[in-house]
Amino acid sequence: MDFSAFVCSFFICCFCCSKAMPTTLNQDAVNDRPVIGILTQIVSDEVMKPFGGTYIPSSYVKYIESGGCRVMPIRLTLTTAEYESIFQKINGLIFIGGTGDLEKSDFARVAKIFYRLALTANDAGDFFPIWGTCMGLQLLTVLVAGENLLENTSAENIALPLNLTTGYKAYTSRMFGDFPDDLMKALKHEPLTGNFHRYGVTVKTFQENEKLQSFFSVLSTNVAENGAHFVSTIEGKRYPFYAVQWHPEVNRFQWDKKLNFPHSRHAVQLSSLLADFFANEGRSSLHQFDNPEEEAASLIYNYTPVYAANFTAYEQIYFF
Ligand SMILES: *[C@@H]1O[C@H](CO)[C@@H](O)[C@H](O)[C@H]1NC(C)=O
Ligand SMILES: *[C@@H]1O[C@H](CO)[C@@H](O)[C@H](O)[C@H]1NC(C)=O
Ligand SMILES: *[C@@H]1O[C@H](CO)[C@@H](O)[C@H](O)[C@H]1NC(C)=O
């Protein structure tokens, strides 16, 4: 039987007519050695400047590693061709929190290159997940909407429960799909999500924006200090793109006592299950490095983090 012809015609049909979730094509293939790219963040804090121009807090690295993935740091100084090449090697991407211009910075420029590559790949059945945390969520909304819709939704240094749009039913979303009932209940009633942001997308703005509305499902909302309701957890309807305005990594990997990092058993469980979830998304991506040497040289294991708890809210930071 001409298997390749069958695959090909199925592919064309799937792509043109049905707009099925991209997962359908390689749903049986599993990659148990996922490498997740983390886009480095531009240093803006004066106290961090002596160490380097870009950075990744170790908490994000540990978070990804805890799910059974390895991390590749992605610098902001490469050419478009180099990013296209990296895209073919990694199995998912994280946009981390921080501060910066979401339209004109190098961070925004590189993010947009990967975002477009990911859209095209997923459309063609080449599964590729993206996760955004805090500013990463804000960035994803800018990329999807094609404009900056952020408003003051200040919630700085406060842990909150989520106002779940899905009720207690975990199975109505992919992100919370494997959560046990008691964790869903805790998520709704206990302050398990650490918020450290000034800006966000209000529920009203989200609902009025056709692009955001058709791209993402809102899984939770929260109320800001100024009373604004903002979207706090979103997942792509058709694409494996996920984002949280809060910080799941701090629950297990940041300890500054001045900040409201949730460390309860449920808070830790929430962080673990989300890392697990995203790692599993990465396992559906079959991208790979050209050879083991190239892979080894690309991983974050080549770098040593700096102890940073005495001058930042992070315990350790990788600088580049
Ligand atoms: C929770 O979200 C619903 C809409 O999903 C909204 O009507 C309600 O006001 C919100 N409650 C809180 C406490 O944020
Ligand atoms: C946002 O709103 C809060 C609470 O009302 C206020 O304290 C803060 O100054 C506002 N921030 C900006 C940038 O407008
Ligand atoms: C932080 O601690 C390290 C030693 O672990 C020290 O070398 C460094 O100077 C300290 N930094 C600041 C800003 O105090």
Side-chain angles (χ1 to χ4, degrees):
M1 179 187 170
D2 187 350
F3 185 68
S4 64
F6 171 75
V7 171
C8 192
S9 59
F10 170 71
F11 167 77
I12 288 163
C13 170
C14 177
F15 179 60
C16 302
C17 331
S18 73
K19 294 207 168 192
M21 271 299 286
T23 36
T24 46
L25 276 176
N26 54 20
Q27 62 188 1
D28 294 334
V30 173
N31 164 20
D32 279 338
R33 298 177 62 84
V35 174
I36 303 297
I38 301 185
L39 220 54
T40 58
Q41 191 66 251
I42 299 167
V43 168
S44 58
D45 197 337
E46 284 302 323
V47 295
M48 284 164 57
K49 283 185 178 166
F51 297 93
T54 58
Y55 72 104
I56 299 174
S58 302
S59 47
Y60 292 98
V61 175
K62 292 174 196 201
Y63 176 79
I64 292 303
E65 289 178 348
S66 76
C69 300
R70 289 159 300 160
V71 167
M72 174 180 182
I74 300 176
R75 294 161 186 264
L76 305 178
T77 51
L78 311 182
T79 63
T80 301
E82 286 171 311
Y83 292 124
E84 284 168 355
S85 165
I86 290 171
F87 180 77
Q88 296 306 329
K89 305 173 198 299
I90 58 177
N91 308 109
L93 185 66
I94 308 276
F95 297 141
I96 62 174
T99 48
D101 189 306
L102 297 180
E103 289 164 295
K104 297 190 196 78
S105 64
D106 283 335
F107 180 72
R109 176 184 72 87
V110 178
K112 192 170 191 171
I113 293 170
F114 278 105
Y115 170 73
R116 288 193 170 151
L117 289 167
L119 284 183
T120 307
N122 282 300
D123 283 343
D126 172 16
F127 190 87
F128 188 90
I130 296 182
W131 179 284
T133 291
C134 196
M135 192 174 96
L137 175 145
Q138 299 167 7
L139 174 66
L140 271 171
T141 66
V142 172
L143 290 168
V144 169
E147 60 182 315
N148 188 333
L149 297 167
L150 300 176
E151 291 165 63
N152 186 348
T153 62
S154 175
E156 287 191 83
N157 196 13
I158 181 168
L160 300 167
L162 295 181
N163 184 6
L164 296 167
T165 59
T166 53
Y168 293 114
K169 300 184 197 80
Y171 58 80
T172 55
S173 69
R174 300 197 299 283
M175 275 167 89
F176 301 145
D178 285 339
F179 282 24
D181 291 347
D182 72 318
L183 182 60
M184 285 307 279
K185 207 164 273 179
L187 199 48
K188 205 173 166 74
H189 297 291
E190 298 170 16
L192 305 183
T193 66
N195 287 264
F196 303 90
H197 62 269
R198 293 189 187 148
Y199 301 98
V201 176
T202 66
V203 174
K204 185 168 182 291
T205 297
F206 182 95
Q207 286 170 346
E208 287 170 2
N209 187 279
E210 176 51 34
K211 288 179 181 160
L212 289 180
Q213 179 84 277
S214 58
F215 197 96
F216 287 115
S217 301
V218 176
L219 303 190
S220 77
T221 64
N222 279 98
V223 180
E225 286 151 16
N226 62 4
H229 288 232
F230 62 94
V231 302
S232 48
T233 311
I234 53 181
E235 73 179 13
K237 289 180 177 171
R238 199 180 145 227
Y239 294 90
F241 297 174
Y242 307 90
V244 288
Q245 184 58 69
W246 41 284
H247 286 263
E249 77 289 351
V250 300
N251 292 12
R252 284 181 296 158
F253 302 113
Q254 284 184 236
W255 294 93
D256 189 324
K257 280 190 167 167
K258 291 188 290 300
L259 299 176
N260 287 306
F261 298 143
H263 295 302
S264 68
R265 185 175 171 200
H266 280 142
V268 168
Q269 191 184 18
L270 167 65
S271 174
S272 301
L273 287 179
L274 284 180
D276 232 51
F277 165 76
F278 193 69
N280 214 36
E281 292 287 285
R283 286 186 195 97
S284 293
S285 162
L286 305 182
H287 292 186
Q288 55 181 1
F289 286 83
D290 294 341
N291 55 64
E293 293 75 28
E294 181 193 55
E295 179 180 271
S298 305
L299 299 178
I300 199 147
Y301 301 136
N302 290 282
Y303 302 88
T304 306
V306 171
Y307 176 67
N310 57 345
F311 64 101
T312 72
Y314 303 110
E315 310 305 323
Q316 299 171 314
I317 301 175
Y318 290 92
F319 287 99
F320 304 92

